[in-house]
Amino acid sequence: MKIMFSADGISKSDLEKTAAIAKHVDCVKIGHILCSTLSFKEINELVGDKDIFLDFKLHDIPNTVKTAIENYSQSIPNFKYFTFHGTASDKMVEAALSAKTDAIPLAVITLSSDADFDKADSLAKFERCFNLGVRNFICHPFLVAAVKAKFGSEIKLYVPGVRLAEDSSDDHFNALTPQKAKELGVEYIIVGRPLLKADNIVEKLQKYI
């Protein structure tokens, strides 16, 4: 199981901490807030040679999504992962998967802050995406066990909202502990605020490891 650092919601005051955390994780996830604060060049200087996970949750007409992914692939150093909405049309999902890039596409079915959703309906949406060719998913902590039971090692799960028992769950519903995530076979956990809030970042990160 690998750790991704979520830097997508940080403020300028968090930049020094972000640089420190980036040294110790496998990948850095960036999103709208950070990208509206810094350029891609500045982000690359901040996190060094770490893989970049672009969490824009793309959802648009198919050609726009495909072209955007290909353009990001050219403009973002170490572009390794990107997200798109798995609830979009079949054609849009297929466009995201067919983009000319070495980056790995991840489908988002539900948000980790969602508390009111139907498990059976969500699993049906996972299955639809799987049948369209998706093999990597952002997965709500509440759904991990059911998704793994259904698809096993055929898919990889990237799970936000992972928290130590001592940490606040913030706005993540039904957070998982790192231990539970590992037991369930999660491939990647995504952690942000608990690291940023830590008095000793390396010590806190070691607890997750």
Side-chain angles (χ1 to χ4, degrees):
M1 189 172 71
K2 295 185 177 181
I3 298 177
M4 295 177 163
F5 170 59
S6 177
D8 48 345
I10 69 169
S11 63
K12 285 189 175 181
S13 63
D14 295 321
L15 295 182
E16 187 175 336
K17 284 188 174 182
T18 296
I21 295 168
K23 297 176 183 178
H24 302 283
V25 295
D26 298 288
C27 178
V28 177
K29 183 167 79 77
I30 62 175
H32 294 294
I33 296 177
L34 186 61
C35 291
S36 63
T37 303
L38 302 176
S39 67
F40 290 135
K41 180 181 179 181
E42 289 171 321
I43 291 171
N44 181 245
E45 291 172 352
L46 181 70
V47 304
D49 61 354
K50 295 297 179 178
D51 290 336
I52 293 295
F53 177 170
L54 188 67
D55 187 20
F56 276 7
K57 300 179 181 69
L58 299 167
H59 190 170
D60 211 315
I61 62 175
N63 186 62
T64 295
V65 168
K66 184 174 185 290
T67 302
I69 293 165
E70 292 173 350
N71 288 348
Y72 285 132
S73 188
Q74 296 298 315
S75 60
I76 302 176
N78 304 318
F79 183 46
K80 185 65 179 289
Y81 307 92
F82 65 90
T83 54
F84 65 92
H85 271 287
T87 56
S89 69
D90 287 5
K91 287 186 178 181
M92 201 220 80
V93 173
E94 290 166 349
L97 297 178
S98 66
K100 295 178 181 178
T101 177
D102 291 329
I104 297 170
L106 279 71
V108 178
I109 304 299
T110 61
L111 302 179
S112 58
S113 58
D114 290 345
D116 184 21
F117 60 88
D118 183 87
K119 181 184 287 189
D121 179 64
S122 295
L123 287 174
K125 290 173 180 175
F126 270 91
E127 185 167 22
R128 168 183 164 269
C129 282
F130 180 85
N131 291 336
L132 289 171
V134 180
R135 293 296 182 269
N136 296 271
F137 293 86
I138 295 288
C139 186
H140 190 294
F142 182 68
L143 292 169
V144 170
V147 171
K148 274 297 185 181
K150 186 174 182 66
F151 298 101
S153 61
E154 291 188 275
I155 65 172
K156 291 182 179 180
L157 298 186
Y158 301 67
V159 182
V162 175
R163 298 286 187 268
L164 297 172
E166 66 196 51
D167 293 334
S168 164
S169 63
D170 298 301
D171 55 0
H172 293 288
F173 176 70
N174 200 35
L176 284 179
T177 64
Q179 292 90 342
K180 187 63 177 178
K182 185 175 182 179
E183 288 173 14
L184 291 171
V186 168
E187 284 77 17
Y188 298 87
I189 60 173
I190 303 169
V191 185
R193 280 168 286 188
L195 299 178
L196 287 172
K197 292 177 180 179
D199 294 327
N200 186 319
I201 292 170
V202 176
E203 182 180 292
K204 173 67 78 170
L205 184 59
Q206 190 60 43
K207 289 184 178 181
Y208 276 87
I209 294 170

